Amino acid sequence: MARVLVVGAGLSGLSVAMEASVRGHHVVVLEKRSTIGGRASSELRDGFPIGYGPHFLLKKGPLHQLVRKVSKVKPSVLPLRPHRLEILGTGMMQPRKPMKDAALFRRAVKAHDLEHPSIQNSDYFASWGLNNELRSRALLNSNLLVMKEGWSGLVGRLAVTLDEVGIPIETGARVEKIEKHKVHLADGRHVETDVIILACGYGQAKKLIPDLPAVSFVTASTVDVALDATPLGERHGILDVERSMAIFDLKQIHPGIAPSGALLSAVHFGEGKSENRLAELNQFMDLRAPGWKSHILHERQQKNVKIAPKGGRVACNVARKDGILLTGAWVESEHILSDGAVEASRITAEHINKMPLQQ
Ligand SMILES: Cc1cc2nc3c(=O)[nH]c(=O)nc-3n(C[C@H](O)[C@H](O)[C@H](O)COP(=O)(O)OP(=O)(O)OC[C@H]3O[C@@H](n4cnc5c(N)ncnc54)[C@H](O)[C@@H]3O)c2cc1C
């Protein structure tokens, strides 16, 4: 049994803590913020779970499976439906009329024919520009899900399980520096341990280990807003493929998610200055969700967030000689986004036994 200290209580930190505990290790989690969940959280305001950009759960992906495994009551989920998703300039992602177009769509989905515009657009949008076929197929087959509890419902379920097995999560504990088998906290404390697992996102990990290999990311601006109006009507979302922007109404996708009105979650991903990107997203919303600004109940805007790595990722054990392992969606695994984070956590936990213990 090793003493394992996990830095960060986002989905990677929570899932690696669980995996390490299942393998018999003694685990503690440190989180710098006052709340857990990281980028995958949402905050309940007047019954509206205001999140941090649109998040869709891959049905039967690693995260969905993990959550189902630890849940006594199954999470209530409903899918994003391609026939209610408008692609600007093209029409609905899944045309239902005329019959000819509907049949062509079905055939293209079966063959995953990238000549068909809906398949191209789905490839692009289902994984925020990463062109991941698994997620694209999931979108086209109504297998990208929205949870009634909001994305933080996932985090809550993992946190309850950690609590039940006695894994402490200390919030307000910022790790400032790491040495071999030792972490230093911002409040002056230091903790000795056998294995340190960095689950704090790439940017923070790079600050703590400056010689980590470089990783480039898809970045985005987001707007999340609760409204007392329904400016998208019955549509689940509107996609602007040329400009990499989208607005979704999570309340239309899962009516149980909010008490009334709309819960819009909008994203603009890609290159460019973050100020301009966020301004463009607001303009897009003015145009496509007319009047939204006069119906705001609660709102969150993010100028610049990392969605996922593009290209190469880092092996979980590159810093093993210093007693450090890594996890996150930027660490090597077969999956992407939070499924990548959960899958990387499983792989990382398997490496704990191969690590040198503190002398
Ligand atoms: C706009 C957007 C859309 C997305 N859409 C999807 C989607 O549709 N489907 C999907 O599966 N995934 C999606 N993702 C990706 C998903 O949100 C992330 O992969 C996942 O949340 C990453 O979790 P993490 O735990 O690795 O990192 P984070 O969530 O960043 O968590 C890191 C944690 O570490 C803490 N921390 C940082 N530094 C320190 C320190 N020094 N000391 C202590 N604690 C520290 C932070 O406070 C944070 O809580 C999306 C992401 C974004 C931004």
Side-chain angles (χ1 to χ4, degrees):
M1 183 189 85
R3 290 169 304 160
V4 176
L5 194 147
V6 177
V7 182
L11 281 175
S12 317
L14 299 175
S15 55
V16 82
M18 201 170 294
E19 294 283 358
S21 164
V22 166
R23 286 166 177 76
H25 301 295
H26 181 269
V27 188
V28 172
V29 183
L30 300 179
E31 166 57 50
K32 71 174 180 186
R33 297 201 187 123
S34 57
T35 53
I36 62 168
R39 272 170 292 167
S41 38
S42 51
E43 206 179 301
L44 207 58
R45 296 196 207 153
D46 293 332
F48 290 85
I50 311 285
Y52 292 80
H55 278 74
F56 299 105
L57 181 66
L58 176 69
K59 188 172 179 182
K60 297 196 177 149
L63 177 59
H64 190 213
Q65 284 182 6
L66 178 68
V67 168
R68 281 169 59 113
K69 198 161 86 185
V70 302
S71 300
K72 292 187 186 92
V73 180
K74 266 196 203 161
S76 165
V77 288
L78 284 173
L80 182 58
R81 299 261 185 210
H83 71 274
R84 290 175 70 181
L85 208 48
E86 182 182 345
I87 302 171
L88 282 186
T90 307
M92 291 301 174
M93 180 175 271
Q94 176 178 8
R96 292 196 143 175
K97 279 183 205 154
M99 292 292 276
K100 189 174 133 257
D101 288 352
L104 278 176
F105 172 82
R106 280 198 301 274
R107 225 172 295 150
V109 169
K110 220 169 168 188
H112 203 73
D113 177 5
L114 286 167
E115 298 291 310
H116 192 289
S118 294
I119 316 298
Q120 274 172 25
N121 293 327
S122 163
D123 254 44
Y124 186 61
F125 260 99
S127 51
W128 312 126
L130 291 173
N131 291 88
N132 179 272
E133 190 177 324
L134 183 65
R135 277 184 72 93
S136 173
R137 284 185 187 273
L139 169 55
L140 293 162
N141 290 300
S142 298
N143 285 329
L144 281 191
L145 310 172
V146 165
M147 270 188 66
K148 182 182 171 192
E149 306 153 29
W151 198 257
S152 64
L154 300 173
V155 169
R157 282 166 188 259
L158 300 186
V160 165
T161 310
L162 292 186
D163 190 46
E164 280 170 2
V165 294
I167 299 173
I169 305 175
E170 186 178 335
T171 52
R174 175 195 287 272
V175 171
E176 274 205 335
K177 198 175 146 212
I178 49 180
E179 289 175 73
K180 205 169 187 177
H181 299 300
K182 198 190 250 186
V183 307
H184 296 267
L185 300 178
D187 60 12
R189 285 181 294 158
H190 63 260
V191 186
E192 298 200 351
T193 186
D194 293 315
V195 180
I196 301 165
I197 300 182
L198 295 186
C200 49
Y202 174 77
Q204 279 291 317
K206 179 92 179 150
K207 275 188 195 152
L208 295 168
I209 315 177
D211 56 356
L212 268 187
V215 177
S216 61
F217 285 83
V218 177
T219 50
S221 304
T222 61
V223 176
D224 288 272
V225 64
L227 303 179
D228 62 2
T230 53
L232 297 199
E234 291 190 343
R235 285 170 294 186
H236 281 184
I238 303 175
L239 314 182
D240 182 337
V241 180
E242 263 175 33
R243 297 195 297 158
S244 305
M245 286 194 252
I247 315 173
F248 299 93
D249 184 352
L250 304 181
K251 165 84 176 154
Q252 282 297 324
I253 302 169
H254 198 318
I257 201 168
S260 57
L263 181 60
L264 301 190
S265 191
V267 63
H268 181 1
F269 54 89
E271 313 296 325
K273 267 192 153 174
S274 52
E275 287 83 11
N276 299 348
R277 203 173 44 204
L278 185 58
E280 282 166 18
L281 183 58
N282 274 265
Q283 284 158 15
F284 178 61
M285 291 180 73
D286 291 343
L287 206 63
R288 301 295 162 191
W292 71 284
K293 278 193 178 131
S294 6
H295 291 276
I296 295 175
L297 300 172
H298 299 284
E299 182 182 16
R300 172 180 294 123
Q301 304 219 1
Q302 299 186 107
K303 223 190 281 176
N304 200 28
V305 275
K306 288 190 177 77
I307 298 192
K310 40 183 187 186
R313 299 192 233 174
V314 180
C316 71
N317 58 352
V318 281
R320 95 177 270 292
K321 68 172 183 1
D322 294 322
I324 302 166
L325 289 171
L326 310 167
T327 183
W330 52 278
V331 173
E332 285 172 1
S333 84
E334 279 180 10
H335 288 267
I336 61 162
L337 298 166
S338 27
D339 289 310
V342 169
E343 183 64 5
S345 290
R346 191 188 56 73
I347 298 167
T348 300
E350 278 172 0
H351 278 75
I352 297 172
N353 274 337
K354 302 175 201 158
M355 297 288 282
L357 298 186
Q358 191 196 19
Q359 296 303 308

